[in-house]
Amino acid sequence: MTFTSLGFLLFFPAVCLLYYLLPAPARPAWLLAASYWFYACADWRGPLLLLAATAVSYGCGRALGALASPRARRAVLVAAAVGFVGVLALFKYAGFALESLAALLHLAGIGWQPPAFSLLLPLGISFTTFQILGYLTDVYRGALAPERSFVRYALFLSFFPQIVSGPIARGGALLPQLARPVVFLPDRVRDGLVRMLWGYFEKLVVADQAALVVNTVFADYAAHGGVERLLAAVLYSVQIYTDFAGYSHIALGAAQVLGFTLGENFRQPYLAQSVREFWGRWHISLSGWLRDYLYIPLGGSRAGTLRRYANLLVTFLVSGLWHGAAWHYVVWGGLHAAYQIASLLTAPLRRRCNLGRGVLARWARRGVTFGLVTAAWVFFRADSAGQALSYLGGIAGWFDPWVLTDGTLLTLGLDGWGWFVLFCAVGLVLAVDCLRERGVRLRAVLARQPLAYRWLCYYALLAAVLVFGIWGPGYSAAAFVYFQF
């Protein structure tokens, strides 16, 4: 079951209705049962692994709270971290490690065929693992008391709006909310539903339409020139943003309807004026997790210049590997580390060549940042690092701008109307992001408008999702990109 499936559109209202009808003490158990059902719809074996991870991490948390000896508490934390990372490695990285070893031996002249190795990869295992490790670390540090209620802790890990693709919840933010009774507030429910609707617009109208062009070009990039490759790379930047941000809007909106507040995951990332700023706006729950539980414990920027560079490299390589068991993900993470290290090295020169803070200077920095991020996204989207290099090399080598007018664009998965709809939809997303950057919260603005005007806007957005989100040559509903991680 995905957020864009008919099953979810039946499941979610039923869960909400019964949730608000039940007495407050019964609600956590109901949400827990609903969350496990949601997770089981992907594969019935997934909840078994999730329940085992919940029981073990719950016990570790209680032990960390009960033990007085620092050595014993450290041993529990280390054992738990090794165990959960080991399980993640077994399910997600064992095959990758064997294939990499075989390739290394081949370079040394040793022929070895790795055994076939395939395990069920539970949905959201990377997100759940980081959520568990963050919780246990907070308990170990004394920043969070261990949760006493097993039901609430199990719901913390399995809450259906965020179990598959985040945001990665912090125990200190979500667990207290699960312990408080929720009162039905019509304005909050309406605001959550509108946020979900915007998420569906970003996913179905923008991301899935852009994916048609992206998939067409990347599937046979050698047959396409530089303009088509550049356009597909830019549209992939649009696709992955609106796909994942759309998912996050639906997840946060669904949680809001139920009375809970999850952490924001995006803050206009493509309006960032540096790669460092980009990572303060993109996948905020992951970048914050890596900062607090990896980069800073490694020493952060406090241990000298070379150590700071090494810490950045390790952090971003882990980020790349977290996203997928393939070298092109590692290269993607390494590129972002290189961007940040290069930025630190060139900071004195850039300060001397100060471009100012005017509008043109700000947009110039945004353009450079977007270009760097888009180049890195090619490695993320490609099937291998070699393919990504070949793809990027062909952009400059075969650049014919006349394809913009000779009908070539109509062979990339969208007809003329499809391109028009995509262009308008991307423009709307950009306009909304620019308004948010200026502090304008559109849902709050709409809520203050007259009833007729407000509902006209809601129905217009709903109509756009229903008409354009399921329309276009070659259209097929696509899974959210981050489901694979």
Side-chain angles (χ1 to χ4, degrees):
M1 186 190 305
T2 68
F3 287 165
T4 55
S5 67
L6 177 61
F8 181 78
L9 299 181
L10 299 174
F11 164 85
F12 183 63
V15 169
C16 294
L17 179 62
L18 194 52
Y19 174 77
Y20 281 112
L21 289 176
L22 287 171
R27 290 176 180 175
W30 166 241
L31 276 187
L32 179 61
S35 296
Y36 266 76
W37 170 259
F38 177 85
Y39 196 58
C41 287
D43 191 296
W44 64 269
R45 294 166 292 183
L48 300 179
L49 181 63
L50 177 62
L51 181 61
T54 300
V56 171
S57 58
Y58 173 78
C60 290
R62 295 298 300 272
L64 287 171
L67 292 171
S69 166
R71 179 176 296 181
R73 298 179 78 248
R74 188 180 304 112
V76 170
L77 180 65
V78 170
V82 170
F84 283 109
V85 172
V87 170
L88 175 63
L90 176 66
F91 278 92
K92 191 170 182 177
Y93 302 108
F96 167 65
L98 291 173
E99 292 172 3
S100 298
L101 178 60
L104 186 63
L105 292 175
H106 178 74
L107 291 176
I110 302 173
W112 177 67
Q113 182 65 31
F117 191 90
S118 178
L119 288 175
L120 161 76
L121 182 63
L123 281 176
I125 185 172
S126 300
F127 291 89
T128 304
T129 300
F130 272 25
Q131 194 158 314
I132 289 173
L133 294 178
Y135 165 79
L136 293 178
T137 304
D138 287 345
V139 173
Y140 172 78
R141 292 173 175 173
L144 179 67
E147 176 57 51
R148 301 183 63 84
S149 167
F150 182 79
V151 170
R152 279 199 295 269
Y153 179 73
L155 181 56
F156 163 69
L157 292 183
S158 65
F159 189 39
F160 73 86
Q162 48 85 229
I163 184 175
V164 175
S165 294
I168 302 171
R170 300 288 183 99
L174 184 55
L175 282 169
Q177 295 184 64
L178 299 177
R180 293 194 296 263
V182 174
V183 178
F184 179 83
L185 298 175
D187 288 345
R188 181 181 60 202
V189 170
R190 182 207 60 225
D191 191 61
L193 291 174
V194 173
R195 182 165 197 170
M196 292 178 71
L197 185 57
W198 178 249
Y200 281 112
F201 177 85
E202 287 195 324
K203 164 61 177 171
L204 295 173
V205 180
V206 184
D208 283 4
Q209 296 284 355
L212 294 174
V213 179
V214 172
N215 294 340
T216 299
V217 175
F218 272 86
D220 189 17
Y221 66 92
H224 296 284
V227 172
E228 300 102 288
R229 296 190 195 192
L230 178 61
L231 180 61
V234 170
L235 284 179
Y236 184 65
S237 294
V238 172
Q239 178 200 347
I240 196 168
Y241 170 46
T242 52
D243 185 284
F244 195 18
Y247 171 92
S248 296
H249 282 305
I250 298 171
L252 270 65
Q256 186 176 338
V257 170
L258 292 166
F260 304 104
T261 301
L262 299 178
E264 294 290 339
N265 225 12
F266 292 90
R267 188 168 52 83
Q268 303 83 251
Y270 291 149
L271 296 182
Q273 299 182 49
S274 68
V275 174
R276 180 181 181 183
E277 185 186 350
F278 170 82
W279 277 102
R281 295 165 173 259
W282 176 274
H283 202 171
I284 297 170
S285 65
L286 174 63
S287 58
W289 194 99
L290 290 170
R291 178 197 64 224
D292 294 343
Y293 301 111
L294 182 60
Y295 178 69
I296 291 177
L298 286 174
S301 58
R302 307 183 307 275
T305 301
L306 292 179
R307 180 71 176 274
R308 180 183 187 182
Y309 297 161
N311 293 341
L312 281 170
L313 182 61
V314 169
T315 300
F316 279 98
L317 290 179
V318 169
S319 173
L321 197 59
W322 178 89
H323 280 88
W327 285 110
H328 60 98
Y329 291 115
V330 178
V331 173
W332 169 79
L335 267 177
H336 276 278
Y339 290 159
Q340 299 222 32
I341 293 171
S343 176
L344 292 171
L345 289 172
T346 60
L349 176 63
R350 287 183 288 108
R351 281 195 293 268
R352 285 198 297 269
C353 303
N354 184 21
L355 296 177
R357 298 181 178 275
V359 174
L360 290 179
R362 289 200 303 271
W363 281 101
R365 285 190 288 266
R366 286 166 177 163
V368 171
T369 301
F370 180 77
L372 293 172
V373 170
T374 296
W377 281 136
V378 173
F379 287 87
F380 196 92
R381 174 59 177 79
D383 295 329
S384 67
Q387 185 188 91
L389 288 172
S390 176
Y391 185 102
L392 291 170
I395 291 179
W398 183 13
F399 199 87
D400 179 12
W402 293 108
V403 301
L404 295 173
T405 60
D406 66 4
T408 299
L409 297 184
L410 303 181
T411 67
L412 302 182
L414 290 175
D415 59 17
W417 280 110
W419 279 107
F420 177 75
V421 170
L422 179 59
F423 179 81
C424 293
V426 172
L428 180 59
V429 170
L430 178 60
V432 169
D433 274 5
C434 288
L435 287 172
R436 286 176 179 159
E437 190 73 2
R438 297 174 66 88
V440 179
R441 187 173 177 269
L442 288 179
R443 295 197 310 277
V445 171
L446 269 179
R448 294 193 296 267
Q449 303 307 310
L451 184 65
Y453 178 79
R454 187 166 69 233
W455 281 97
L456 179 63
C457 293
Y458 297 158
Y459 279 122
L461 186 59
L462 177 62
V465 171
L466 294 177
V467 175
F468 302 121
I470 54 174
W471 167 82
Y475 178 84
S476 60
F480 288 91
V481 172
Y482 263 68
F483 273 16
Q484 63 187 299
F485 309 132

